[in-house]
């Protein structure tokens, strides 16, 4: 009697472990899973089951995602018709997500592949097997969600006790024995950053000063304005631990006094425009030492207050020494004359002859600068002007202007070509800062 021909079924074993713990051992969890699956396949040899040589393993990867190298290779071989049966130790080794598993079953069904669990005996080609599978997967997903909640609760409880829960330590701290300790060298930088911000009130200006001092992050990266904002808002520096927006007393030592923190945050709560306006009021007069009258006498800045409002002026030295009438232009409103000069200066940035002169002066310092470079640098400054920090505006005026002569009906601005060339080089290097 002729024996019936048994069709061979190519069986692929898939193994997975969520954590990397123990994977370095000679015999680990992945090996144990594979051994059980291979034994099960051997027991089904009479049914034509044969083991494929390729191994599909994912160590240290969660079952909540399909982005797994081993699983991707398995699915690719399934689509190529190289696998007839997928064997796993338990269902949750393949996936812990009901939605993800439904996608995998669709791939298996489309290619006529059977899915088998060694410890949970069922076959996905039958309706009862599908029902059992969905029930087991629901419990697997429930277990995963409960585990995630338990971890979140543990983290919250630990943070409420002020414990450090890992991650990159804040600048100024180091981690030893899972605790934050003050790093004296970087802590000194942190204290300087807080105190300097109190003085200038601008993260943009502060970032430039930090760069000039050569201060870098613990990983050797450049400290920019965004990094400074995060640093100034990090409550770890006052000895607190934060979780989900709530602060708790921390186990670590504070670097910044609470009084300094409160002063810094009284500044940070203001809008950047208000901070810029306040700093502008504290900035020395824009044209100090540059303004001269028809008689050649210098003008000095002064101010007066009426009804709580500040009025700024430039007054001729002739008037101050010899009284009113000693100069045809004795006093001018500061705002008006500064606006007139700045308008002329901004117009100058667009004049071809000024660009050419700037380029020639800049080439004396750097032969690689082209006329197009000088033109681009000066063109950038015009639209950027209103965004510049007041102290930066005053610095640029001092660089670009040699003298301003005022008469009864005119204002004449004399430029410094060497200053303009230096300014062009700064623009090309990106060293001109805007208000925070």
């Amino acid at each position: 009697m002729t024996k019936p021909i048994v069709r061979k079924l190519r069986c692929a074993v898939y193994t997975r472990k969520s954590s990397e713990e123990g994977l370095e051992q000679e015999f680990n969890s992945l090996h144990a899973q594979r051994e059980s699956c291979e034994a099960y396949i051997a027991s089904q040899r009479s049914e034509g089951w044969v083991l494929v040589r390729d191994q599909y393993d994912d160590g240290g990867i969660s079952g909540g995602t399909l982005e797994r190298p081993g699983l991707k290779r398995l699915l690719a071989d399934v689509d190529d018709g190289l696998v007839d049966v997928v064997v796993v130790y338990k269902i949750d080794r393949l996936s812990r997500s009901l939605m993800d598993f439904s996608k995998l079953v669709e791939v298996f069904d489309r290619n006529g592949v059977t899915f088998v669990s060694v410890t949970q005996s069922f076959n996905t080609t039958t309706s009862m097997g599908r029902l059992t599978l969905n029930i087991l997967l629901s419990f697997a997903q429930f277990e995963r969600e409960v585990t995630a909640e338990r971890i979140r609760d543990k983290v919250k409880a630990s943070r409420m006790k002020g414990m450090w829960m890992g991650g990159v330590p804040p600048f100024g701290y180091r981690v030893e024995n899972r605790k934050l300790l003050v790093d004296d060298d970087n802590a000194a930088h942190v204290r300087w950053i807080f105190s300097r911000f109190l003085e200038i009130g601008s993260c943009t200006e502060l970032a430039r000063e930090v760069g000039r001092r050569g201060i870098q992050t613990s990983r050797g990266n450049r400290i920019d304005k965004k990094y400074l904002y995060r640093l100034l808002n990090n409550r770890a520096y006052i000895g607190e631990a934060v979780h989900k927006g709530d602060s708790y007393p921390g186990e670590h030592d504070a670097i910044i006094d609470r009084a300094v923190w409160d002063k810094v945050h009284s500044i940070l709560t203001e809008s950047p425009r208000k901070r810029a306006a306040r700093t502008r009021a504290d900035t020395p007069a824009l044209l100090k030492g540059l303004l001269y009258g028809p008689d050649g006498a210098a003008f000095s800045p002064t101010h007066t207050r009426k009804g709580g409002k500040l009025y700024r002026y430039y007054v001729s030295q002739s008037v101050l020494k010899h009284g009113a009438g000693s100069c045809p232009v004795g006093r001018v409103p500061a705002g008006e004359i500064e606006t007139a000069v700045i308008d002329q200066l901004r117009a100058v940035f667009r004049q071809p002859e000024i660009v050419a002169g700037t380029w020639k002066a800049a080439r004396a310092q750097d032969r690689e600068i082209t006329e197009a470079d000088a033109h681009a640098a000066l063109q950038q400054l015009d639209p950027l002007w209103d965004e510049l920090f007041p102290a930066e505006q005053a610095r640029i005026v001092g660089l670009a202007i040699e003298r301003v002569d005022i008469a009864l009906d005119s204002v004449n601005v004399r430029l410094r070509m060497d200053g303009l060339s230096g300014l062009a080089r700064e623009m090309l290097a990106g060293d001109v800062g805007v208000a925070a």
Side-chain angles (χ1 to χ4, degrees):
M1 182 177 177
T2 305
K3 293 184 178 180
I5 298 175
V6 178
R7 184 173 73 91
K8 287 188 177 181
L9 298 177
R10 296 159 297 179
C11 302
V13 174
Y14 177 77
T15 63
R16 183 187 65 79
K17 188 176 186 296
S18 296
S19 67
E20 296 182 355
E21 184 179 356
L23 290 180
E24 74 284 353
Q25 298 175 3
E26 185 175 351
F27 186 82
N28 55 48
S29 174
L30 298 182
H31 296 136
Q33 293 177 45
R34 174 166 291 279
E35 191 175 83
S36 296
C37 292
E38 290 179 354
Y40 185 83
I41 292 171
S43 71
Q44 300 298 313
R45 186 178 295 114
S46 61
E47 300 296 326
W49 287 29
V50 293
L51 177 67
V52 300
R53 293 182 178 180
D54 289 338
Q55 296 188 5
Y56 308 94
D57 305 316
D58 284 314
I61 303 179
S62 169
T65 176
L66 296 179
E67 296 299 318
R68 292 173 258 161
L71 180 60
K72 286 186 174 181
R73 286 194 299 107
L74 173 62
L75 295 179
D77 287 350
V78 167
D79 283 331
D80 291 341
L82 302 178
V83 175
D84 299 309
V85 181
V86 174
V87 182
V88 298
Y89 181 72
K90 288 178 65 176
I91 297 173
D92 61 3
R93 297 303 88 192
L94 190 65
S95 177
R96 283 181 175 271
S97 167
L98 187 59
M99 182 178 298
D100 288 345
F101 196 87
S102 66
K103 296 177 183 177
L104 295 175
V105 171
E106 287 179 9
V107 175
F108 295 159
D109 286 347
R110 186 171 66 246
N111 293 278
V113 173
T114 301
F115 171 69
V116 174
S117 168
V118 172
T119 57
Q120 300 150 329
S121 182
F122 59 85
N123 191 321
T124 58
T125 58
T126 67
S127 59
M128 181 57 69
R130 290 179 183 277
L131 175 61
T132 305
L133 177 64
N134 286 334
I135 292 173
L136 291 173
L137 270 175
S138 296
F139 277 104
Q141 182 165 335
F142 172 73
E143 179 186 358
R144 177 168 171 260
E145 292 174 355
V146 168
T147 301
E149 289 178 0
R150 191 162 59 241
I151 292 172
R152 286 195 295 268
D153 290 344
K154 179 182 178 181
V155 171
K156 181 180 179 180
S158 300
R159 294 301 279 170
M160 290 177 68
K161 292 181 179 180
M163 298 171 62
W164 171 249
M165 295 304 295
V168 179
F171 183 63
Y173 289 98
R174 68 179 188 276
V175 177
E176 288 185 12
N177 299 321
R178 301 182 68 178
K179 292 184 180 296
L180 282 182
L181 300 178
V182 175
D183 183 311
D184 293 333
D185 292 339
N186 286 335
H189 293 321
V190 172
R191 295 187 186 97
W192 177 84
I193 287 171
F194 271 81
S195 63
R196 186 59 181 148
F197 180 78
L198 283 178
E199 295 173 2
I200 62 178
S202 167
C203 281
T204 301
E205 288 294 310
L206 183 56
R208 295 180 64 194
E209 293 192 15
V210 166
R212 287 195 291 267
R213 290 171 71 100
I215 301 174
Q216 296 180 326
T217 68
S218 301
R219 296 182 175 182
N221 297 325
R222 173 176 167 269
I223 293 179
D224 57 13
K225 182 171 72 172
K226 291 182 180 179
Y227 186 95
L228 289 175
Y229 271 118
R230 292 195 298 269
L231 186 150
L232 293 171
N233 282 285
N234 193 337
R235 302 187 71 87
Y237 293 120
I238 52 174
E240 293 184 358
V242 179
H243 180 75
K244 301 291 186 181
D246 296 323
S247 297
Y248 308 96
E251 290 184 334
H252 60 281
D253 294 330
I255 292 177
I256 301 300
D257 293 335
R258 187 57 185 252
V260 173
W261 173 272
D262 290 340
K263 290 178 182 178
V264 166
H265 279 259
S266 67
I267 297 174
L268 288 173
T269 52
E270 291 182 332
S271 69
R273 290 184 180 275
K274 286 185 178 180
R275 272 189 271 149
R278 187 186 71 248
T279 308
R280 183 178 289 109
D282 296 336
T283 300
L286 201 63
L287 302 179
K288 183 178 180 180
L290 301 175
L291 197 59
Y292 296 85
D295 59 353
F299 274 61
S300 299
T302 185
H303 68 273
T304 183
R305 291 184 181 274
K306 292 182 180 179
K309 190 173 181 180
L310 178 70
Y311 295 89
R312 296 191 304 116
Y313 300 94
Y314 289 93
V315 180
S316 170
Q317 287 291 332
S318 296
V319 172
L320 293 176
K321 292 178 180 179
H322 308 293
S326 58
C327 178
V329 182
R331 184 175 73 169
V332 292
E336 292 181 13
I337 188 62
E338 288 173 355
T339 299
V341 171
I342 294 306
D343 287 345
Q344 283 198 36
L345 184 61
R346 295 174 70 171
V348 156
F349 297 151
R350 299 188 291 269
Q351 295 177 8
E353 61 273 17
I354 297 300
V355 173
T358 301
W359 170 54
K360 290 179 181 178
R363 275 177 61 84
Q365 301 293 327
D366 187 349
R367 301 292 296 178
E368 295 184 0
I369 294 179
T370 65
E371 187 171 1
D373 291 335
H375 180 267
L378 294 182
Q379 287 284 69
Q380 290 175 26
L381 196 52
D382 181 24
L384 184 66
W385 182 266
D386 290 334
E387 301 298 324
L388 293 176
F389 201 74
E392 185 74 349
Q393 290 181 343
R395 187 182 71 86
I396 290 175
V397 167
L399 272 176
I401 296 177
E402 180 180 342
R403 179 185 176 110
V404 177
D405 291 293
I406 57 174
L408 289 172
D409 56 358
S410 65
V411 176
N412 180 43
V413 179
R414 189 186 305 174
L415 300 176
R416 295 178 61 233
M417 296 310 299
D418 58 336
L420 283 175
S421 68
L423 183 58
R425 292 196 301 273
E426 286 186 15
M427 291 297 298
L428 290 172
D431 288 337
V432 175
V434 297

